Amino acid sequence: MAATLYIDGAWKQASDGGAHDVHSPHDQRVVATVSQATESDVLDAITAARTSFDSGVFTSWSFAERSALVSKIADLLERDLKVIAKKESDDTGKRIIEAEYDIADVVATFRHFAALGVKEHDRKVDVGLAHVSSRIVHEPLGVASLIGPWNYPLLQIAWKVAPALVAGCSFIVKPSELTPQSAIALMHLIEEAGTPKGVANLILGPGSVVGTSLISDPRIDMVSFTGGLNTGQTIMKAAVATVKRLALELGGKNPHIIFADADVDAAIDNAVTAAFLHSGQVCSAGTRLIVERSIHDRVVNEIVRRAANIRLGGPEDLAAETGPLISKSHLEGVTRYVEKGIAEGATLLIGGKRSEMPEHADGWYFLPTVLDNCTTKMFCVQEESFGPVMTVEVFDTEAEAIALGNDTVFGLSGGLWSNDVAKAARVASALRHGTIWVNDFGPYRPQAEWGGYKQSGIGRELGEHGLSEYLEIKHIWTNNAPSKSGWFSDDKRGED
């Protein structure tokens, strides 16, 4: 077995020799065997990151030099795009073409932050005093734990690694134990590009084993995590003792509102994609359809027809349109989710179970599912399944549509369809979600910030703010004509 932990500039096996098999969700074959770190390995990685940061080996680089490094990594990613996409497709079960799109987005992310890094970050402050120089400077935050999910393994890691490198931070990457291969590949490229020893470190293993120190060790200055709400809450509690900076993206239950005055055919088509792309394993999936009552039957009947025709298949199936769920336990969770929705009164229109096709027998395939007659009081409306399950609610007025769209503890994203420009603007403004799509659903660009309101998380990734998360802001005041303050008297009359 190859050494797959990267600690202090060297590739290592776990200190106890432990390893973990990675299985394809498509057919359960072993696609990789990787090292499984121990707590001792984690502490070594934290020590390496802390030592490198405190030494100044990377913080001494200018923004321009660090941006050039990130640009070089982007070039290497582009060179190896197909190889890395194959690894990610093996781990996730998603189609090769989807994985290639994802790695292309990774390249775009690195290029965005490389370009952002060379912009002027510091500024002068006019304090109204000719003899005073007042400057705001931006400095690297410190050591960061970067913890990624399994649904978009390298893309979500890239959203963290690229700005951390531009900012000058040292870090430890911890990908999901289910999907580690693309993170390993990235670390090889970070090494090839010439990143100083100890700046970038990679730890593999389940959070239950390797996660505690990554979120609680006092030598860690920041935790950036993408994943579930419960884990995010655990991280927040652990960060209290040392008041770490947090960047948390914790998912969502994203409303997708269709008004009767919309381009209904376009809305239907996008609704199918929003709910069933990557089998719903998308934090911003539009799985909560909210449709105006007068067009309910037209919209829902067509969505059900379209859902019935979705072709499920594995990475090499060129005719497939979406793939399997990530694991057996996740499939079982989605199954229970649908069963609970039906028990609460939702009407199952299609799907609701594992695929029974012979070619899917060895994989975790779940049929595209539509639950109608839902209300915001139902578990299936308030909680995300992270599977291909669409719930349907109806509304009669604009105000009701807004109220329904905001009736959630989450606030990551939402979409709305209307040809009434003024109404669309009102609704977009009123919805309490971090991204709102109008007459569209799903696209993003690295140049625009990403993150959520409410329990969808803290902070922002991408855009300009995505870099700011990894920077400290310092004010430097320089008096070029020093003199006594004169605040307290220096009269010596009271002395003996």
Side-chain angles (χ1 to χ4, degrees), residues 5-6 11 154 157 161 171-173 182-193 200-203:
L5 307 181
Y6 188 66
W11 288 97
L154 192 58
I157 288 293
V161 167
F171 54 85
I172 305 98
V173 170
S182 56
I184 296 169
L186 173 63
M187 203 60 61
H188 278 289
L189 301 186
I190 288 173
E191 180 183 43
E192 181 181 345
N201 302 272
L202 176 67
I203 287 294

Side-chain angles (χ1 to χ4, degrees), residues 253-259 288 290 398-408 410-417 423-438 441 453-454:
K253 185 65 178 176
N254 311 290
H256 196 180
I257 302 170
I258 304 178
F259 288 94
R288 187 182 171 203
I290 302 173
E398 178 182 327
E400 187 180 3
I402 293 168
L404 289 172
N406 285 334
D407 189 2
T408 170
F410 296 106
L412 183 60
S413 67
L416 68 103
W417 292 78
K423 179 167 69 176
R426 289 192 303 270
V427 175
S429 179
L431 289 173
R432 300 278 296 167
H433 302 269
T435 294
I436 298 296
W437 293 287
V438 178
F441 201 102
Y453 289 24
K454 299 184 282 187

Side-chain angles (χ1 to χ4, degrees), residues 145-149 156 159-160 214-215 222-240 244-252 283 410-412 434 450-461 465-466 469-470:
S145 292
L146 310 179
I147 304 172
Q156 296 289 340
W159 287 11
K160 307 173 192 304
L214 287 176
I215 64 177
M222 175 191 184
V223 178
S224 178
F225 168 77
T226 301
L229 175 59
N230 290 340
T231 304
Q233 292 168 334
T234 298
I235 290 172
M236 289 188 74
K237 293 174 183 176
V240 168
K244 300 183 191 303
R245 182 178 295 184
L246 297 177
L248 305 175
E249 202 264 79
L250 306 178
C283 58
F410 296 106
L412 183 60
W450 180 264
Y453 289 24
K454 299 184 282 187
Q455 293 186 38
S456 281
I458 297 172
R460 291 294 184 270
E461 295 186 295
H465 197 81
E469 296 282 3
Y470 297 87

